[in-house]
Amino acid sequence: MIHEFQNPIPVIVEGNKEGYAMYVRDGSTWENDIWCIVHCEGGIVRHYRSDQIIINKNSTFDIKKKEQ
């Protein structure tokens, strides 16, 4: 099953690269979900497992970007 987001979710991948999650595909019971991420820099589209992404900020869930 694929869930496409009406409002892309800001995420961090590969340690410090910002991007937006466009959709997520259910990985079933035994696998991680697969996320489609568009990188802010360059617009590269890549797929990541659930354990490879961090939600950057989301006001709805009171998730804030960590100050450095």
Side-chain angles (χ1 to χ4, degrees):
M1 175 190 271
I2 292 178
H3 177 75
E4 184 177 351
F5 304 113
Q6 289 183 354
N7 299 311
I9 299 172
V11 297
I12 300 291
V13 294
E14 299 178 29
N16 64 352
K17 294 181 180 176
E18 294 185 355
Y20 286 93
M22 304 305 287
Y23 67 83
V24 62
R25 182 176 56 89
D26 179 19
S28 75
T29 305
W30 307 109
E31 300 291 330
N32 280 308
D33 294 334
I34 303 298
W35 294 74
C36 175
I37 309 296
V38 177
H39 289 219
C40 289
E41 188 174 321
I44 297 169
V45 177
R46 293 215 170 119
H47 292 88
Y48 295 91
R49 297 184 318 263
S50 295
D51 61 350
Q52 295 177 305
I53 68 167
I54 298 171
I55 302 297
N56 188 5
K57 53 191 169 190
N58 187 321
S59 299
T60 302
F61 298 112
D62 201 28
I63 298 171
K64 297 180 174 125
K65 186 175 182 180
K66 183 169 57 171
E67 299 297 324
Q68 296 182 9

